Amino acid sequence: MSPDGTIRTEHLWKRFRADRQRMLLRDRVEQMGRRLRGGGPEDWSWALRDIDLHIEPGDAVGLIGSNGSGKSTLLKLLTRVMYPYAGTVDVRGRIGALIEIRAGIHPDLTGRENIYLFGALLGLKRREVAARFDAIVEFAQLNTAIDRQVKFYSSGMQMRLGFAVAAYLEPEVLLVDEVLAVGDAVFQQKCLDRMREVLEQGTTLVFVSHDLAAVESVCSRGIWLEQGTVRVDAGIREALGAYRESIEAKTEASARVGEPVQLLKCEVRGTERDSPATGEGLVVDLVLGGDHRNPAMLHLGVSEGTASPVFSLRHEITTKDGEARVRCVIPRLPLPRGRYTLWVGAYGMWHIEGQSLMAWHPAGQFEVYGPELDPPPRAVVLAAPVYVEHEWS
């Protein structure tokens, strides 16, 4: 028998019927036509397709993927809120889950009563819950509201209570969905720190979030879901890297038709070799087209895949003659080894909102050769990977 904290799924399938209440008349007619022609039940959509997972006790797994890829559905199957169409789900031990803000919380009960109810559902004795009660209330910051009915809580208060209960009653398996986005930055950091603490106690964690930096800081393994299938199951950096490359491939464009300023050409190279290296020079050559008579502000940034850059630079340009050639030289590149994306955008200088002349978009990718970035302590979210030359003595 598998030990507590083990998660195993085999040939897992889950489907949903289309919402007929929201179907347009033409969709209903098309559906009836398919049935008259002998077509199959095409109003079903598959949320998960043949998922095989094996997660060992104490593993920290990040589920990543775009909206609709099946992440939340998988968590609901693991908690047995839903049942699969086919396949098996085996989760050993007590499960603490925070999938939706109100999940597991009864609105007509007080915060105090909900804590004891949740503990009873986990199979804990009342004295075991009482021993953790003060820590839960302090973490959730509900000292003055703990005896108030939960239906009068704000969404943030409900989320704090739900997470504190799920994480402090020491489950063998902790499942956390994107609901942490409801909280403020301070509480999000507290939640990340608490997840690391339960991992050190041997709890298995499955964490769903679009905040890739938070996922990377907590999880050691990444599973990328795409259209209900496992696209990548690997170490967290490898999984995130593959996911980011996919995002870049879908959005990359060398020219954006219809915009006043267009990127016609982009080249990235090193000053001392073809490919840039850590601590050496980087050269970016851009050719811009258009007929925007007023000066514009060109923005250039480098990221690990998302639209938020590690650093960004700007320069005033004009394309009144139909073309502008721009070169940007960075004498000492402060990036460790890895694959990066170059982003560009152009905006008006005098418009009150900064008129968009060329939308912020990826212009190309490049590899940097050099040392790996030293890993930070587990309590720190790695948000900006910058290489700093240093000496120890």
Side-chain angles (χ1 to χ4, degrees):
M1 181 178 292
S2 301
D4 287 346
T6 302
I7 300 174
R8 187 187 296 272
T9 69
E10 294 182 354
H11 305 297
L12 193 63
W13 293 76
K14 180 63 178 177
R15 67 178 185 175
F16 296 99
R17 189 185 298 273
D19 188 350
R20 296 180 179 180
Q21 298 296 325
R22 300 182 181 180
M23 290 180 65
L24 299 175
L25 178 60
R26 65 171 180 269
D27 297 326
R28 291 177 181 270
V29 173
E30 182 180 351
Q31 185 184 84
M32 292 175 63
R34 286 198 305 267
R35 291 182 176 177
L36 291 174
R37 293 191 299 269
E42 298 181 12
D43 55 341
W44 291 93
S45 62
W46 290 101
L48 296 175
R49 306 165 183 263
D50 200 22
I51 302 293
D52 288 326
L53 295 178
H54 185 200
I55 301 174
E56 295 286 352
D59 281 357
V61 179
L63 279 183
I64 57 176
S66 59
N67 291 330
S69 61
K71 305 185 299 298
S72 296
T73 300
L74 179 56
L75 287 194
K76 291 176 181 177
L77 291 174
L78 296 181
T79 58
R80 299 182 179 88
V81 174
M82 294 179 178
Y83 291 93
Y85 171 79
T88 60
V89 178
D90 184 20
V91 182
R92 298 286 176 171
R94 297 194 306 269
I95 301 174
L98 190 60
I99 299 177
E100 296 175 355
I101 292 175
R102 287 183 175 272
I105 296 177
H106 196 295
D108 291 328
L109 299 180
T110 66
R112 182 186 301 272
E113 291 167 338
N114 269 287
I115 292 173
Y116 281 97
L117 174 62
F118 198 100
L121 293 175
L122 287 178
L124 297 174
K125 296 180 179 179
R126 188 174 180 84
R127 66 173 179 272
E128 293 177 305
V129 179
R132 303 171 176 88
F133 182 84
D134 290 342
I136 292 173
V137 175
E138 182 180 357
F139 184 90
Q141 302 170 359
L142 296 174
N143 301 72
T144 60
I146 195 62
D147 291 311
R148 188 189 310 165
Q149 286 179 300
V150 170
K151 63 184 177 182
F152 298 116
Y153 286 11
S154 67
S155 59
M157 293 168 69
Q158 292 179 36
M159 188 273 295
R160 295 201 303 269
L161 175 63
F163 182 87
V165 171
Y168 271 86
L169 292 181
E170 299 180 6
E172 276 83 31
V173 176
L174 179 61
L175 309 176
V176 182
D177 204 346
E178 188 64 48
V179 289
L180 290 184
V182 177
D184 57 35
V186 174
F187 187 74
Q188 288 178 26
Q189 186 61 47
K190 286 178 62 177
C191 291
L192 294 175
D193 292 341
R194 180 57 190 170
M195 283 191 278
R196 297 184 189 97
E197 291 174 8
V198 299
L199 283 172
E200 293 174 356
Q201 297 168 3
T203 298
T204 303
L205 172 68
V206 180
F207 182 29
V208 174
S209 178
H210 290 290
D211 185 345
L212 303 186
V215 173
E216 184 176 357
S217 73
V218 174
C219 301
S220 57
R221 175 182 169 189
I223 298 176
W224 169 21
L225 293 182
E226 186 175 59
Q227 297 182 345
T229 62
V230 176
R231 179 78 177 270
V232 173
D233 184 353
I236 189 61
R237 289 192 65 85
E238 181 180 346
L240 290 176
Y243 178 52
R244 285 164 173 155
E245 282 192 27
S246 173
I247 295 174
E248 295 155 7
K250 292 177 181 178
T251 58
E252 186 170 342
S254 59
R256 306 179 74 86
V257 178
E259 295 182 315
V261 177
Q262 297 179 7
L263 178 64
L264 304 179
K265 187 177 180 181
C266 174
E267 291 184 356
V268 180
R269 59 181 175 83
T271 55
E272 301 179 27
R273 62 192 83 193
D274 291 338
S275 297
T278 305
E280 297 181 0
L282 174 74
V283 179
V284 178
D285 286 321
L286 303 175
V287 179
L288 303 162
D291 191 23
H292 183 69
R293 298 184 179 279
N294 296 321
M297 189 63 71
L298 175 69
H299 291 256
L300 181 148
V302 173
S303 83
E304 287 191 299
T306 61
S308 300
V310 175
F311 62 83
S312 62
L313 309 167
R314 64 179 185 171
H315 178 67
E316 183 179 327
I317 61 168
T318 179
T319 58
K320 64 181 181 181
D321 295 327
E323 185 177 281
R325 293 179 176 271
V326 181
R327 170 172 292 179
C328 179
V329 179
I330 300 175
R332 299 184 65 83
L333 187 64
L335 297 176
R337 181 171 60 192
R339 187 172 183 81
Y340 297 90
T341 302
L342 186 76
W343 292 71
V344 296
Y347 303 89
M349 297 180 60
W350 296 307
H351 191 279
I352 189 170
E353 295 291 340
Q355 177 189 8
S356 177
L357 305 175
M358 178 176 65
W360 183 248
H361 70 282
Q365 297 179 336
F366 61 96
E367 294 278 353
V368 173
Y369 296 90
E372 290 280 0
L373 191 69
D374 292 334
R378 296 188 68 187
V380 178
V381 176
L382 181 61
V386 176
Y387 180 79
V388 178
E389 291 188 1
H390 58 283
E391 293 183 359
W392 292 89
S393 62

